[in-house]
Amino acid sequence: MTMDGGRPLRVAVVGSGPSGFYAAEALFKDATLKCEVDMFDRLPTPFGLVRGGVAPDHQKIKSVVKVYEKTAADPRFRFYGNVKLGADLSLEDLRRRYDAVILAVGAESDRRMGIPGEDLAGSFAATEFVGWYNSHPDHRDKAFDLSAESVAVVGIGNVAVDVARVLAEDPEVLAKTDMADYAVDALRKSRVKNVYMLGRRGPAQAAFSPAELEELGGLHSADLVLTPEETALDPESQKDYDAGDQALKKNVDALQAFAKRGPGSKARKVHLRLCVSPVEVVGKDGKVAAVRIEKNVLVRQPDGSIKPKGSGRFETLPIGMILRSVGYFGVPVPGVPFDSKKGVIPNAAGRVLEAGAPLPGLYVVGWAKRGPSGLIGTNRACSAETAAKVLEDFRGKALAADAEKTQAAAEAYVRGKKRDVVSFADWKRLDAAEVEKGKASGKIREKFSRISDALAALKAVVV
Ligand code: NAP
């Protein structure tokens, strides 16, 4: 058995974002388990949303990678970047070579609004915009037209706040960060003056965190604008406020204080609209020209939640671009059960379920497990829960010697299947090259935004 001197438990983790690294960390931490972890990522670079999602002006949040680097430095750990499950390797390939496969694939797509005009040119998912300014290879070639005076961001979660801040803030604040150089250039040329954030419910139901709201209210080049009418609490929301947690109270108090402050005198405005739902994206010549919104009333539901209901009163806001920031959504992994309604992999505390029964040796962590919610740290407990299930399933089992289930066999197999596999040592070289490249323009780093450029840089370094 793994715990009494047999061969180590071999674990593959697919995905190198926070949840993947926390799963490896939890497995390594368990003194009763002898275990090796091979981590795969379709990109040549690790860290998932910490690299491709966290806003460039939130470098403190990104410093969490130091924790992941500690895990990666463990001799029981291997990184295989630029290897895609479902293209370069199949799930069956992995299951044959590993005792356990942990899927840490996140939620790579986005929710839709389901309204007319959503597919017009100039209508995007906020996640595309985020990927674009963060140099993500999937999104770096997208073109966002910032020539209009007004744009809309649908949703009032933390992602919506990030994109509104990036659109409204002085680009020079972002120029020294690790934001893509092409994005900084585009933002410097931007003519956007008004960013409309559209929340379908009221101040007591806002999804953003108080700290993010405070930051939005303190931008150098934009005022946060709200009206007393839209920040007033309806009687049901007032009950939630009176009984509510600190975050809810802080949000409501801050929103009402911003409303009292008036529109301010800065060149740009972030208009945070509440109790409004977009009902149509209006086009002109095939391009976004306006968004029609309906004012909502809030209604307490039998389950205790508060939902928006259209009031029949409409308004039209002229805009040149709309970003829907209404949540991420999972993408199915070939061969793995998928709940297409919730966008997650069905599971019981991390054990993947098929028709209600656990699939032996297959596990899930992070957003693919519980849906796209929570902060980076939320993943630590989530991954520890799954790791505990792995341990439970293998405790007391003798692992027979298996020539395919060794670090060396896996290395040879993966490299035989795919050229240009990126190891963690390779990534550290890319990391150093990015930092070096950034120095020239006084930036924290300039990321490789094309996979081919990253691979070419590695070859240049090796030769
Ligand atoms: P989110 O927190 O779930 O917010 C989604 C927003 O979209 C909510 O305001 C929601 O309103 C709204 N919405 C959903 N469907 C809608 C529709 N059909 N029409 C209009 N509005 C709609 O999701 P997120 O902003 O994508 O963030 C994902 C997770 O990452 C969150 O846990 C977030 O805290 C985290 N994150 C954290 C940070 C940070 O800490 N700095 C930064 C980015 C993301 P309802 O509430 O009415 O449903």
Side-chain angles (χ1 to χ4, degrees):
M1 160 63 206
T2 54
M3 288 139 211
D4 56 14
R7 76 162 169 86
L9 181 76
R10 297 275 303 145
V11 181
V13 174
V14 182
S16 68
S19 67
F21 269 103
Y22 288 132
E25 179 195 71
L27 290 169
F28 287 161
K29 222 188 244 169
D30 196 299
T32 63
L33 182 72
K34 220 163 87 186
C35 154
E36 291 167 349
V37 173
D38 290 353
M39 184 177 279
F40 296 85
D41 202 294
R42 70 181 177 92
L43 294 180
T45 52
F47 309 138
L49 274 187
V50 175
R51 180 177 164 95
V54 173
D57 54 347
H58 282 177
Q59 291 297 321
K60 226 167 130 186
I61 296 180
K62 294 192 196 210
S63 64
V64 72
V65 302
K66 290 199 186 102
V67 176
Y68 310 151
E69 282 174 343
K70 231 172 121 188
T71 300
D74 192 301
R76 297 169 289 178
F77 180 92
R78 294 275 166 97
F79 177 68
Y80 295 108
N82 198 32
V83 180
K84 186 174 178 180
L85 177 65
D88 303 316
L89 294 177
S90 71
L91 183 67
E92 275 323 300
D93 284 337
L94 290 182
R95 295 189 76 186
R96 193 172 326 129
R97 288 171 176 81
Y98 295 88
D99 302 297
V101 176
I102 301 179
L103 300 161
V105 293
E108 284 203 286
S109 185
D110 61 278
R111 283 188 185 279
R112 294 178 59 83
M113 297 183 286
I115 59 171
E118 196 168 357
D119 293 315
L120 283 165
S123 169
F124 300 94
T127 53
E128 296 177 87
F129 187 63
V130 169
W132 172 74
Y133 65 61
N134 273 332
S135 310
H136 195 294
D138 288 358
H139 303 296
R140 63 96 58 224
D141 287 319
K142 301 223 157 98
F144 296 91
D145 181 0
L146 304 177
S147 63
E149 274 206 2
S150 301
V151 300
V153 178
V154 182
I156 51 170
N158 283 331
V159 171
V161 176
D162 281 346
V163 300
R165 195 176 66 252
V166 163
L167 284 164
E169 186 51 300
D170 178 352
E172 298 321 312
V173 172
L174 301 159
K176 303 287 173 212
T177 67
D178 60 355
M179 177 180 275
D181 52 1
Y182 55 78
V184 173
D185 283 351
L187 289 167
R188 279 184 174 134
K189 291 179 197 134
S190 164
R191 291 206 213 122
V192 173
K193 284 206 175 87
N194 299 299
V195 179
Y196 291 97
M197 292 182 72
L198 308 177
R200 63 181 171 179
R201 297 190 290 163
Q205 294 83 31
F208 44 62
S209 323
E212 290 262 346
L213 173 61
E214 197 187 318
E215 197 182 3
L216 190 63
L219 300 185
H220 292 261
S221 50
D223 294 299
L224 179 60
V225 184
L226 290 116
T227 64
E229 298 74 45
E230 288 186 355
T231 49
L233 292 180
D234 61 287
E236 287 304 317
S237 296
Q238 183 67 50
K239 284 184 202 162
D240 288 356
Y241 175 89
D242 293 337
D245 60 19
Q246 279 308 312
L248 185 157
K249 284 193 168 127
K250 273 191 181 167
N251 272 348
V252 172
D253 293 350
L255 288 166
Q256 292 181 343
F258 285 128
K260 280 200 193 110
R261 211 165 67 169
S265 57
K266 292 176 188 163
R268 288 174 169 169
K269 308 287 172 202
V270 176
H271 304 271
L272 210 173
R273 299 290 310 268
L274 295 167
C275 289
V276 294
S277 282
V279 290
E280 184 185 355
V281 183
V282 183
K284 196 176 168 216
D285 305 328
K287 220 184 144 300
V288 171
V291 58
R292 197 157 175 261
I293 56 176
E294 182 174 17
K295 298 187 183 183
N296 293 326
V297 290
L298 299 179
V299 183
R300 177 80 71 188
Q301 304 298 304
D303 66 3
S305 65
I306 288 184
K307 290 234 162 91
K309 186 169 168 268
S311 69
R313 288 178 295 134
F314 297 89
E315 201 182 316
T316 299
L317 304 171
I319 51 163
M321 180 173 83
I322 187 164
L323 302 175
R324 61 180 181 279
S325 183
V326 296
Y328 287 77
F329 200 77
V331 174
V333 177
V336 178
F338 186 67
D339 180 335
S340 53
K341 246 185 161 169
K342 294 187 183 145
V344 299
I345 296 171
N347 70 92
R351 288 187 181 108
V352 174
L353 299 177
E354 188 169 54
L359 278 171
L362 197 56
Y363 304 85
V364 61
V365 289
W367 281 5
K369 171 184 173 185
R370 60 173 206 282
S373 70
L375 306 180
I376 290 169
T378 313
N379 292 298
R380 193 172 223 158
C382 171
S383 296
E385 180 190 52
T386 298
K389 296 298 164 206
V390 175
L391 185 65
E392 217 175 285
D393 292 347
F394 287 92
R395 181 175 284 134
K397 273 192 188 160
L399 294 176
D402 183 334
E404 276 190 322
K405 290 188 175 126
T406 67
Q407 248 184 2
E411 179 90 30
Y413 181 75
V414 176
R415 289 187 184 274
K417 286 284 259 191
K418 175 87 196 234
R419 286 178 56 208
D420 297 325
V421 174
V422 177
S423 68
F424 207 78
D426 291 337
W427 152 245
K428 291 303 290 175
R429 289 208 292 277
L430 290 176
D431 185 21
E434 287 186 345
V435 171
E436 196 52 40
K437 214 162 126 206
K439 273 187 194 155
S441 39
K443 295 178 69 177
I444 290 171
R445 75 170 63 228
E446 188 62 58
K447 292 180 201 162
F448 290 102
S449 60
R450 293 189 198 283
I451 293 176
S452 54
D453 289 349
L455 299 178
L458 278 177
K459 283 186 185 136
V461 173
V462 169
V463 170

